[in-house]
Every structure is written in C-alpha cells, then in structure tokens.
Amino acid sequence: MCTLSVCRILDWDTSFFGLRIAGVVEHRLTVERLAAIEAWCAEQGVECLYFLADADDDPTVSLAELAGFHLVDVRITYERLLEEELNPFDTDPRLRVRPVEQRDLGYLKALARTNHTDTRFFTDPRFSKERTAEMYATWIEKSLNGYADATFVAEAIGEARGYITCHLDREHNAGSIGLTGVDADWRGYGIGRALVHASLHWFAGQGCKRVTVVTQGRNIGAQRLYQRSGFVSASVQLWYHRWFTNR
C-alpha cells in the first residue's frame, strides 16, 4: 500500500476491481484539504475515491456533497466490554458452534456471495454486483486461511449454517468481529447470537478487554443482534465514494 499525506492508493481494491482506487486518509474536510485531495487524485489517475467522514462534522458533510461525493453507507461501530462474565442463553438444540474446517470453505464462499448485499459496494451501482459478490467470497476464504485470527461456524443437521470471523489487536488487548453471515433459511433460530456469543468467549480467552464490530446503518437486523449481545454504539461515520471516470 502506497501512503501519502492526504490519500493512499488501495492496492488490493485496485487489483481486485481493475480500477485505480484510493482512500482519503483523514475523516474531515476543509477547503484546503479538499483542493489537495483533488490535485493528488488527478496526479495519481484515481478513478474511484473512498472517504469515511465523521458524521458529526457539518462542514465536512457539506464539502463532500458540493465536491461530488456520493453517500453509499452509514457506518456504525459498536463496542462491548468484557469485564463481566458472559451470561449463557438458550439455543436451538440442533445447533452447535465450532471452529471452521477446510471442508466448510465451499459452502461459506457460496453464503458470502449472497449475504452482504446491504454493504456500500452493492449500494454503489458502478461496482459490478457479480464482482462485489466474489469479493466477499474471497474475503471469507482469506479469513479461513489466516487473514482472521479465528473463524467459527454454526453447524445444524451436519452442515454449516453461518460464520463469524475474529481479529485480535494484542497491543491494545482488544478484538474485532469481521464478517458475520447466516443462511437465510436458518434465520430466526438464534444462529447469529450463538456465533457472537462464541466469539466473545474466544476473545475473553485471548485476554481481550473489549470487542468492536462495524455494521451498516441500513442493516437493522445486525444492529439488533449486537445490541442484544451487549454491544453499545461507539461511533457513527459516513462512507462516500467519488468517481473520476464515467466507467
């Protein structure tokens, strides 16, 4: 990843989508910073620019809109402290949560392709739906092969029905939940909550004092899941995309 003062080229995104993609480094805009961003993007030949803005800064929101940034997502970060013992809860007796196995990969990739359609990449019509679906399949495969510190699946009737990925920040004794997915045919059986509960136990066993997770403002189901699991909102930010090409 190449990093400069105002923006950075996102190598993985650029390679995967076949577009020159960059991200704004800061979360707030000024007139001067916006001018520097635009000059940098022109110099670097950027086709798509991501900007994660602080939602509580009105000048930033106004400048982003005037400059042609398009709002694609509301990013909500939730946080859960692990200072108290985790309370058990009843789950469907057909269900068990276990560490992922290589035999699960095909199913997990298929589920990931259909399970994240409320994210900003699906919202932005300039990203191919097929390519975006494949991005999440690639993400879960990378998670299983070491990108995540742990991946768990919920198994029912001998088959995986959902997944959750876990990441550690050992320097700060913290953890974060990455991808979470539940088979649409198995929603309402407590799979999501069982997965989150298992991840919290794992994080606690790793010495984490707090856990964070990010979800979309439009994803009410995920918000309720994390709220029922003891998470509280920590921040709200706005995802913008700006395109410099007609592609």
Side-chain angles (χ1 to χ4, degrees):
M1 181 180 293
C2 175
T3 304
L4 294 178
S5 57
V6 291
C7 299
R8 58 186 179 184
I9 296 297
L10 302 177
D11 292 334
W12 193 89
D13 299 59
T14 294
S15 174
F16 186 83
F17 287 108
L19 297 162
R20 185 78 163 161
I21 298 176
V24 178
V25 173
E26 301 291 338
H27 300 302
R28 299 195 174 204
L29 293 178
T30 63
V31 172
E32 295 77 15
R33 185 173 294 157
L34 178 60
I37 289 169
E38 292 178 331
W40 186 90
C41 288
E43 178 182 309
Q44 294 291 323
V46 171
E47 295 175 87
C48 180
L49 180 66
Y50 305 159
F51 175 44
L52 182 60
D54 290 337
D56 60 352
D57 189 62
D58 291 340
T60 292
V61 173
S62 296
L63 280 171
E65 292 174 349
L66 288 172
F69 285 88
H70 176 60
L71 179 66
V72 290
D73 193 12
V74 176
R75 182 184 195 262
I76 303 177
T77 300
Y78 285 94
E79 181 181 66
R80 161 78 193 253
L81 300 181
L82 295 178
E83 297 173 343
E84 300 178 357
E85 185 177 352
L86 296 169
N87 295 323
F89 68 98
D90 294 331
T91 59
D92 191 298
R94 297 173 295 174
L95 175 68
R96 75 181 182 101
V97 177
R98 58 169 174 78
V100 71
E101 300 173 2
Q102 281 293 330
R103 65 184 175 90
D104 301 315
L105 180 57
Y107 169 78
L108 296 186
K109 290 178 68 174
L111 178 56
R113 289 187 182 98
T114 63
N115 206 71
H116 303 281
T117 56
D118 49 11
T119 60
R120 62 189 173 101
F121 296 97
F122 277 101
T123 299
D124 189 331
R126 296 210 186 186
F127 283 108
S128 160
K129 297 293 187 292
E130 293 78 13
R131 194 62 181 151
T132 297
E134 195 58 34
M135 179 184 72
Y136 287 101
T138 301
W139 189 341
I140 195 65
E141 182 173 15
K142 286 169 63 69
S143 297
L144 189 150
N145 291 321
Y147 174 65
D149 291 292
T151 300
F152 296 96
V153 299
E155 182 182 280
I157 317 180
E159 297 289 343
R161 308 295 180 180
Y163 56 80
I164 193 167
T165 66
C166 307
H167 303 263
L168 293 174
D169 178 359
R170 295 191 183 277
E171 181 180 354
H172 299 97
N173 293 324
S176 62
I177 294 172
L179 288 180
T180 305
V182 175
D183 190 318
D185 293 335
W186 281 83
R187 290 173 186 167
Y189 292 93
I191 289 177
R193 188 141 181 228
L195 287 165
V196 172
H197 195 72
S199 75
L200 293 176
H201 274 284
W202 183 82
F203 283 124
Q206 299 296 314
C208 295
K209 302 301 181 185
R210 67 183 182 93
V211 178
T212 59
V213 64
V214 170
T215 192
Q216 297 78 37
R218 64 175 62 86
N219 194 341
I220 301 301
Q223 293 179 49
R224 289 177 175 173
L225 166 63
Y226 298 124
Q227 290 163 356
R228 288 196 300 268
S229 300
F231 286 79
V232 296
S233 55
S235 68
V236 178
Q237 295 171 294
L238 306 175
W239 269 119
Y240 289 96
H241 290 173
R242 181 173 174 183
W243 290 84
F244 297 91
T245 175
N246 292 324
R247 175 174 173 175

